[in-house]
Amino acid sequence: MYVSGVVNCWSVVYTHQSICAVKGSSVDLGCSYSYPSNVIVTETFWHKPEIMEDLSKKGEYKNRVKYLGNKDSDCALKIEDLQESDSGEYRFRFLTNDTSGMFSGVPGITLSVSNLQVEMTPTTVTEGQSVTLTCSTSCPGDTNPTYIWYQTRQPVTNQHTISYDTLTLSSVSKTDAGRYSCALRGHEDHPSPSVCVLDCWSVVYTHQSICAVKGSSVDLGCSFSYPNNVTVTETFWHKPKIMEDLSKKGEYAKRVKYLGNKDSDCALRIEDLRESDSGEYQFRFLTNDTSGKFSGIPGITLSVSILQVEMSPTTVTEGQSVTLTCRPTCDTGAKPTFAWYKNSKPVANQPPTTMTINTVKNTDSGSYSCAVQGHENNTSPAVALIVQYSPKNTSASISPSGNIVEGDSVTLTCSSDANPPVHNYTWYNINRGETTLESGQNHSISNISSQDIGQYYCRATNLVGSSNSTLLSIDVFYSPKNTSASISPSGNIVEGDSVTLTCSSDANPPVHNYTWYKVNSRETTLGSGQNHPINNISSEDTGQYYCRVENSVGSIDSVVLYVNVFYRPKNTLLVVSPLNETPTGHSVTLTCNSDANPPVHTYTWYKKTGDDSVHEVSANNRTLTLVSGDGGLYYCVAHNQYGSHNSSAIEVTFSDALEDALASKTLLNVWTLMNVYISTCALCYTLRLCQIVTLPLCEQGDSGPVCDDIAAVPMTSDPKQRVDSGDEDDVQYASVQFKARNKDKAPDCTATQPHVQEKEEDVTYASVNICRPSSGGNQ
C-alpha cells in the first residue's frame, strides 16, 4: 500500500478502482508506480489475477492492448475493441534487478464491459397503439451520446420520431412489426439485443440464472412464441454458438429431458449435475418457413455449486484459534446440513455449519473438507490447515516421462510445500549461465531441440522465504545431424599414398553404425566403421565417397566427399593419322596419347638416328607431323608434375617407290590399313599379346578385298634399333613390309591362299618398323 511521505517504498497506484465501458469501444487504465532508488526496473506488464502472464502475449488480447507507460513511473494501459470477455480485474506488475524486487498492485482495476439494452414501453403492443423504445447502458457513458436504431437489422427511416436515446412509433402498423435494436454511433458493429414489436419471434426464460448443488437436478423454465402463419417443426436446447441438440451430446446423454412441446412450453431438466454443466443454455426452434428459426439470446446461466471451506484467519500460527465454514459457491436458496472431514475421515461431534478449533496445535494440521448430508460423494475441495513456514520439499518434474526425442513438447512442473502458498515460481537453466527462463509453476518447451539439453531447477517463493528444487537433467535424443566425411592427411593425394576417410556426426544417443559407400557408375558398399583406410591408393580409387550413420532415432547420409588421386603419366601410346595429300608433298601425323592426373602439361618428341643417339625434335606439342625425308624411329614422352612416361617407338620409312605409289588411289588403302595395324598392334603390345602380324590389303570401293602377301620379319633385340628410357633388355622390335598391288593387274582374291605376283614391277613397297616391349618389360 502506498503511504504519502514514505521514501523508497514499493507501490502501484491506479487512477480508478473500477471502470465501465461499452462493448466495441476503447478504455485507458490509468496507473503510476514507485520503487526504491537503489534498484532498476527490468520488466513491466499487466496481467489478470493469479496468472502472471503479460496480456500483450495472450492471444485474446494480442494487437488490442498497448502499454502507454514506461520503466520509470507511468504504467497506463489501453485496451481497444472491448469485448464482453474483457470484463474482470487487471493488475500491473514490475520486476527489478533485485531478485526479490518484484511488486504487483493488489487489488487492481475492475473493468466492466457493458452491452446496450432496449426497453420497450408498453411491453406489449397492438396495431394502432404508440410505443416508445429507449436505448440504455449500465455504464455512465458520454453526456450526449448519439444512437442509431435498426428495424430487423436495417436502419430506421426518418418517418419515426428519434430523440436522444428514444425511438417513438406512433400508431403502430404491420409495416412496423419486427425486432428493434440500437447501437452507439461509431460502434455500429456492437448493437444491443433486439426487442419485439407486434407479431414476432420470441423466447422467454423464467430465470436468467439458476444455482444448483452438484449431483442434484434442475429445471430450466422457458416459453416461446412465433407468428400464427408458421408451424414449429423442431425444438432443442443448445450451448451458445453451437447449434447441437444437448440430448445428442455424449456428456448429456441420458441426463437431459425435454419437458416442453412444439407449441409454447420449452422447459428442460438436467439431472445428476456436474461442475462441467455450468454455463449458458439457450432454446431454439425451427419452423416450416425456411427463414423461420429463432434462439432465445441470452439464455439461462446455470451455476453448479461446489462446496468450499472458508478458513478464518487464513494464516494460522500455533496457539491461535481458527474457524472453518462450509459454504456453497452460489446461493441455492436452501439451508443444508453439512458433514465435516479431516484427511478424508469424518470429524465427530462437530456443529453442522461451522467448525472452530481453539488453540491450534501442530497435530491439528491437515486437510479439511465438507459435504452436504445425503451427497457425501461430492465433498468440497480440501483446505490445508498448517502452521506458516517457508517453502520446503521443492521439486521439479517433467512430463511426459520417458525418453525425450527432438521435436517433442514437454512441461516442467515445480512443486513445493509451503504456507502461505508459493506466490512465485522462477525457472533457471544452469547450462546457459544460470539463465532465468520465466515465472510460473509450469515451464513449457515446445518442439524441444538439442539446444535445450541441460540441468534445470525452479525456485519457489512465499512471504516467508524461498527454496530451490534439486536439479532436473533433460537429455534430448535426436537423429544424426551435421554429418560429414573427411580425409586425412589433407592436401594432394598421390598414387601410392595411404589415407583414411573419417565420418563425423552429432547424434544422441551416439551413432551405433557407420557404413561407407563409393559412387561412380554404380554405388558400392565399402564397409563399416567410423574410419575407412585406403592403403597404397591408386587411380582406381578416385571417385565420390559418403558415409551413412545410424542411431536408435534415425539415420542420415553425409555430403559427398570427392577423392582425387594424382599420378604420373601412364599408358602412353602413339597413334598414326591417315595420310594427308598436300600440293607440297606427303605427310604423316603422329599423336601422343597418355593417361595422367593432373593432365599432361608437356609433350616431348624424340628421334633416334643411326649413330645410336637420341635427339629432341619437338616440345610441348601433342602431335608431330612428318613429311617425305623425315623417316626414322620416333617416340614421345608425356610429363606432369608427378613424373613422365615414354611411349613405344614407331619407325617411319619413306621411299621413292612409296612416293610414286602414294600418287595412286590404291595406296590410300595401304596407309589406312597401316594405321589400323599400328594402332591395333600397339594395343596388343601393351597387352603383351602380339608376336607376328599378317595383314590383308583391301582397296576402298572394291566389292571384294585386293589381297597380297605380307612379309613378317621376326623380332629383333638389336639395341641399335631400340630407343627407350628403360633397361636395354626391355624392348624388342619387329619390321613389317607391306606390298601394294596395281589394281589393274589385281588377281582374284577369293582363293583360299594369297596370290603372289610374278612381276616385280607391278608391286610397290612400304615398310614400317614397329617396336614392342619384350615379355616382362616396362611399357
mmCIF file of all heavy atoms in Angstrom, residues 541-565:
data_model
loop_
_atom_site.group_PDB
_atom_site.id
_atom_site.type_symbol
_atom_site.label_atom_id
_atom_site.label_comp_id
_atom_site.label_asym_id
_atom_site.label_seq_id
_atom_site.Cartn_x
_atom_site.Cartn_y
_atom_site.Cartn_z
ATOM 1 N N ASP A 541 40.936 -45.642 -57.219
ATOM 2 C CA ASP A 541 40.230 -45.204 -56.014
ATOM 3 C C ASP A 541 39.650 -43.807 -56.150
ATOM 4 O O ASP A 541 38.979 -43.314 -55.232
ATOM 5 C CB ASP A 541 41.166 -45.253 -54.799
ATOM 6 C CG ASP A 541 41.593 -46.676 -54.482
ATOM 7 O OD1 ASP A 541 40.718 -47.553 -54.460
ATOM 8 O OD2 ASP A 541 42.796 -46.899 -54.270
ATOM 9 N N THR A 542 39.943 -43.121 -57.265
ATOM 10 C CA THR A 542 39.339 -41.809 -57.483
ATOM 11 C C THR A 542 37.819 -41.945 -57.570
ATOM 12 O O THR A 542 37.307 -42.866 -58.186
ATOM 13 C CB THR A 542 39.882 -41.180 -58.783
ATOM 14 O OG1 THR A 542 41.283 -40.954 -58.644
ATOM 15 C CG2 THR A 542 39.185 -39.851 -59.067
ATOM 16 N N GLY A 543 37.095 -41.048 -56.925
ATOM 17 C CA GLY A 543 35.644 -41.097 -57.000
ATOM 18 C C GLY A 543 34.976 -40.372 -55.849
ATOM 19 O O GLY A 543 35.609 -39.641 -55.084
ATOM 20 N N GLN A 544 33.676 -40.590 -55.735
ATOM 21 C CA GLN A 544 32.857 -39.925 -54.730
ATOM 22 C C GLN A 544 32.539 -40.918 -53.609
ATOM 23 O O GLN A 544 32.068 -42.031 -53.856
ATOM 24 C CB GLN A 544 31.563 -39.389 -55.344
ATOM 25 C CG GLN A 544 31.788 -38.265 -56.346
ATOM 26 C CD GLN A 544 30.496 -37.795 -56.970
ATOM 27 O OE1 GLN A 544 29.660 -38.602 -57.336
ATOM 28 N NE2 GLN A 544 30.328 -36.495 -57.096
ATOM 29 N N TYR A 545 32.744 -40.476 -52.378
ATOM 30 C CA TYR A 545 32.522 -41.304 -51.195
ATOM 31 C C TYR A 545 31.543 -40.600 -50.259
ATOM 32 O O TYR A 545 31.522 -39.371 -50.182
ATOM 33 C CB TYR A 545 33.831 -41.545 -50.443
ATOM 34 C CG TYR A 545 34.860 -42.350 -51.219
ATOM 35 C CD1 TYR A 545 35.621 -41.760 -52.230
ATOM 36 C CD2 TYR A 545 35.072 -43.692 -50.922
ATOM 37 C CE1 TYR A 545 36.571 -42.498 -52.934
ATOM 38 C CE2 TYR A 545 36.023 -44.429 -51.625
ATOM 39 C CZ TYR A 545 36.773 -43.831 -52.627
ATOM 40 O OH TYR A 545 37.699 -44.547 -53.315
ATOM 41 N N TYR A 546 30.757 -41.380 -49.572
ATOM 42 C CA TYR A 546 29.945 -40.825 -48.496
ATOM 43 C C TYR A 546 29.721 -41.899 -47.450
ATOM 44 O O TYR A 546 29.930 -43.103 -47.696
ATOM 45 C CB TYR A 546 28.608 -40.284 -49.007
ATOM 46 C CG TYR A 546 27.595 -41.323 -49.419
ATOM 47 C CD1 TYR A 546 26.647 -41.819 -48.506
ATOM 48 C CD2 TYR A 546 27.542 -41.800 -50.723
ATOM 49 C CE1 TYR A 546 25.712 -42.749 -48.879
ATOM 50 C CE2 TYR A 546 26.604 -42.751 -51.101
ATOM 51 C CZ TYR A 546 25.692 -43.217 -50.181
ATOM 52 O OH TYR A 546 24.758 -44.148 -50.546
ATOM 53 N N CYS A 547 29.348 -41.457 -46.257
ATOM 54 C CA CYS A 547 29.078 -42.392 -45.167
ATOM 55 C C CYS A 547 27.636 -42.223 -44.702
ATOM 56 O O CYS A 547 27.057 -41.154 -44.815
ATOM 57 C CB CYS A 547 30.033 -42.190 -43.994
ATOM 58 S SG CYS A 547 29.952 -40.548 -43.229
ATOM 59 N N ARG A 548 27.084 -43.305 -44.197
ATOM 60 C CA ARG A 548 25.733 -43.301 -43.620
ATOM 61 C C ARG A 548 25.844 -43.639 -42.140
ATOM 62 O O ARG A 548 26.489 -44.632 -41.780
ATOM 63 C CB ARG A 548 24.850 -44.301 -44.324
ATOM 64 C CG ARG A 548 23.426 -44.409 -43.746
ATOM 65 C CD ARG A 548 22.556 -45.280 -44.621
ATOM 66 N NE ARG A 548 22.385 -44.686 -45.928
ATOM 67 C CZ ARG A 548 22.102 -45.372 -47.038
ATOM 68 N NH1 ARG A 548 21.949 -46.676 -46.980
ATOM 69 N NH2 ARG A 548 21.969 -44.745 -48.201
ATOM 70 N N VAL A 549 25.239 -42.781 -41.298
ATOM 71 C CA VAL A 549 25.301 -43.002 -39.858
ATOM 72 C C VAL A 549 23.900 -43.290 -39.335
ATOM 73 O O VAL A 549 22.906 -42.769 -39.848
ATOM 74 C CB VAL A 549 25.906 -41.773 -39.131
ATOM 75 C CG1 VAL A 549 27.344 -41.579 -39.551
ATOM 76 C CG2 VAL A 549 25.100 -40.515 -39.413
ATOM 77 N N GLU A 550 23.837 -44.138 -38.298
ATOM 78 C CA GLU A 550 22.556 -44.538 -37.734
ATOM 79 C C GLU A 550 22.644 -44.559 -36.210
ATOM 80 O O GLU A 550 23.672 -44.941 -35.645
ATOM 81 C CB GLU A 550 22.155 -45.931 -38.220
ATOM 82 C CG GLU A 550 21.991 -46.070 -39.732
ATOM 83 C CD GLU A 550 21.686 -47.502 -40.140
ATOM 84 O OE1 GLU A 550 20.535 -47.933 -39.942
ATOM 85 O OE2 GLU A 550 22.611 -48.183 -40.616
ATOM 86 N N ASN A 551 21.548 -44.109 -35.585
ATOM 87 C CA ASN A 551 21.357 -44.378 -34.164
ATOM 88 C C ASN A 551 19.930 -44.870 -33.974
ATOM 89 O O ASN A 551 19.218 -45.126 -34.959
ATOM 90 C CB ASN A 551 21.704 -43.159 -33.297
ATOM 91 C CG ASN A 551 20.714 -42.019 -33.456
ATOM 92 O OD1 ASN A 551 19.780 -42.099 -34.268
ATOM 93 N ND2 ASN A 551 20.909 -40.962 -32.703
ATOM 94 N N SER A 552 19.498 -45.012 -32.733
ATOM 95 C CA SER A 552 18.169 -45.578 -32.489
ATOM 96 C C SER A 552 17.043 -44.670 -32.937
ATOM 97 O O SER A 552 15.893 -45.092 -33.038
ATOM 98 C CB SER A 552 18.000 -45.892 -30.995
ATOM 99 O OG SER A 552 18.159 -44.706 -30.227
ATOM 100 N N VAL A 553 17.338 -43.389 -33.235
ATOM 101 C CA VAL A 553 16.301 -42.437 -33.630
ATOM 102 C C VAL A 553 16.151 -42.369 -35.148
ATOM 103 O O VAL A 553 15.051 -42.254 -35.677
ATOM 104 C CB VAL A 553 16.595 -41.034 -33.055
ATOM 105 C CG1 VAL A 553 15.507 -40.046 -33.446
ATOM 106 C CG2 VAL A 553 16.732 -41.109 -31.538
ATOM 107 N N GLY A 554 17.250 -42.444 -35.881
ATOM 108 C CA GLY A 554 17.170 -42.335 -37.334
ATOM 109 C C GLY A 554 18.534 -42.444 -37.976
ATOM 110 O O GLY A 554 19.532 -42.846 -37.346
ATOM 111 N N SER A 555 18.621 -42.098 -39.240
ATOM 112 C CA SER A 555 19.870 -42.179 -39.993
ATOM 113 C C SER A 555 19.943 -41.018 -40.969
ATOM 114 O O SER A 555 18.931 -40.392 -41.297
ATOM 115 C CB SER A 555 19.970 -43.504 -40.756
ATOM 116 O OG SER A 555 18.942 -43.588 -41.746
ATOM 117 N N ILE A 556 21.171 -40.749 -41.453
ATOM 118 C CA ILE A 556 21.378 -39.672 -42.415
ATOM 119 C C ILE A 556 22.671 -39.944 -43.170
ATOM 120 O O ILE A 556 23.589 -40.589 -42.634
ATOM 121 C CB ILE A 556 21.429 -38.295 -41.701
ATOM 122 C CG1 ILE A 556 21.324 -37.152 -42.712
ATOM 123 C CG2 ILE A 556 22.677 -38.161 -40.861
ATOM 124 C CD1 ILE A 556 21.196 -35.789 -42.064
ATOM 125 N N ASP A 557 22.742 -39.481 -44.414
ATOM 126 C CA ASP A 557 23.949 -39.603 -45.218
ATOM 127 C C ASP A 557 24.744 -38.309 -45.158
ATOM 128 O O ASP A 557 24.177 -37.211 -45.092
ATOM 129 C CB ASP A 557 23.603 -39.904 -46.682
ATOM 130 C CG ASP A 557 22.951 -41.267 -46.849
ATOM 131 O OD1 ASP A 557 23.031 -42.064 -45.886
ATOM 132 O OD2 ASP A 557 22.364 -41.523 -47.915
ATOM 133 N N SER A 558 26.058 -38.453 -45.200
ATOM 134 C CA SER A 558 26.905 -37.267 -45.257
ATOM 135 C C SER A 558 26.868 -36.675 -46.659
ATOM 136 O O SER A 558 26.382 -37.308 -47.608
ATOM 137 C CB SER A 558 28.352 -37.623 -44.898
ATOM 138 O OG SER A 558 28.934 -38.398 -45.942
ATOM 139 N N VAL A 559 27.386 -35.470 -46.804
ATOM 140 C CA VAL A 559 27.585 -34.921 -48.135
ATOM 141 C C VAL A 559 28.683 -35.724 -48.820
ATOM 142 O O VAL A 559 29.507 -36.375 -48.170
ATOM 143 C CB VAL A 559 27.953 -33.427 -48.066
ATOM 144 C CG1 VAL A 559 26.808 -32.620 -47.493
ATOM 145 C CG2 VAL A 559 29.196 -33.211 -47.221
ATOM 146 N N VAL A 560 28.693 -35.691 -50.132
ATOM 147 C CA VAL A 560 29.649 -36.488 -50.893
ATOM 148 C C VAL A 560 31.053 -35.896 -50.771
ATOM 149 O O VAL A 560 31.245 -34.676 -50.853
ATOM 150 C CB VAL A 560 29.222 -36.558 -52.373
ATOM 151 C CG1 VAL A 560 30.305 -37.203 -53.218
ATOM 152 C CG2 VAL A 560 27.932 -37.358 -52.480
ATOM 153 N N LEU A 561 32.035 -36.768 -50.516
ATOM 154 C CA LEU A 561 33.453 -36.386 -50.453
ATOM 155 C C LEU A 561 34.127 -36.885 -51.725
ATOM 156 O O LEU A 561 34.111 -38.091 -52.007
ATOM 157 C CB LEU A 561 34.110 -36.991 -49.209
ATOM 158 C CG LEU A 561 35.626 -36.846 -49.101
ATOM 159 C CD1 LEU A 561 36.001 -35.383 -48.902
ATOM 160 C CD2 LEU A 561 36.168 -37.700 -47.956
ATOM 161 N N TYR A 562 34.704 -35.968 -52.482
ATOM 162 C CA TYR A 562 35.374 -36.367 -53.729
ATOM 163 C C TYR A 562 36.851 -36.613 -53.442
ATOM 164 O O TYR A 562 37.554 -35.734 -52.916
ATOM 165 C CB TYR A 562 35.218 -35.295 -54.805
ATOM 166 C CG TYR A 562 35.874 -35.689 -56.118
ATOM 167 C CD1 TYR A 562 35.326 -36.697 -56.917
ATOM 168 C CD2 TYR A 562 37.051 -35.075 -56.547
ATOM 169 C CE1 TYR A 562 35.924 -37.065 -58.100
ATOM 170 C CE2 TYR A 562 37.656 -35.446 -57.735
ATOM 171 C CZ TYR A 562 37.087 -36.446 -58.514
ATOM 172 O OH TYR A 562 37.689 -36.812 -59.685
ATOM 173 N N VAL A 563 37.314 -37.804 -53.766
ATOM 174 C CA VAL A 563 38.718 -38.174 -53.587
ATOM 175 C C VAL A 563 39.384 -38.174 -54.964
ATOM 176 O O VAL A 563 38.993 -38.937 -55.850
ATOM 177 C CB VAL A 563 38.855 -39.557 -52.917
ATOM 178 C CG1 VAL A 563 40.319 -39.955 -52.833
ATOM 179 C CG2 VAL A 563 38.220 -39.526 -51.533
ATOM 180 N N ASN A 564 40.348 -37.309 -55.133
ATOM 181 C CA ASN A 564 41.045 -37.145 -56.411
ATOM 182 C C ASN A 564 42.481 -37.635 -56.233
ATOM 183 O O ASN A 564 43.260 -37.075 -55.450
ATOM 184 C CB ASN A 564 41.024 -35.675 -56.836
ATOM 185 C CG ASN A 564 41.554 -35.477 -58.242
ATOM 186 O OD1 ASN A 564 41.644 -36.431 -59.007
ATOM 187 N ND2 ASN A 564 41.897 -34.261 -58.587
ATOM 188 N N VAL A 565 42.837 -38.713 -56.943
ATOM 189 C CA VAL A 565 44.171 -39.318 -56.821
ATOM 190 C C VAL A 565 45.036 -38.841 -58.001
ATOM 191 O O VAL A 565 44.704 -39.070 -59.166
ATOM 192 C CB VAL A 565 44.080 -40.852 -56.795
ATOM 193 C CG1 VAL A 565 45.468 -41.454 -56.639
ATOM 194 C CG2 VAL A 565 43.166 -41.309 -55.659
#
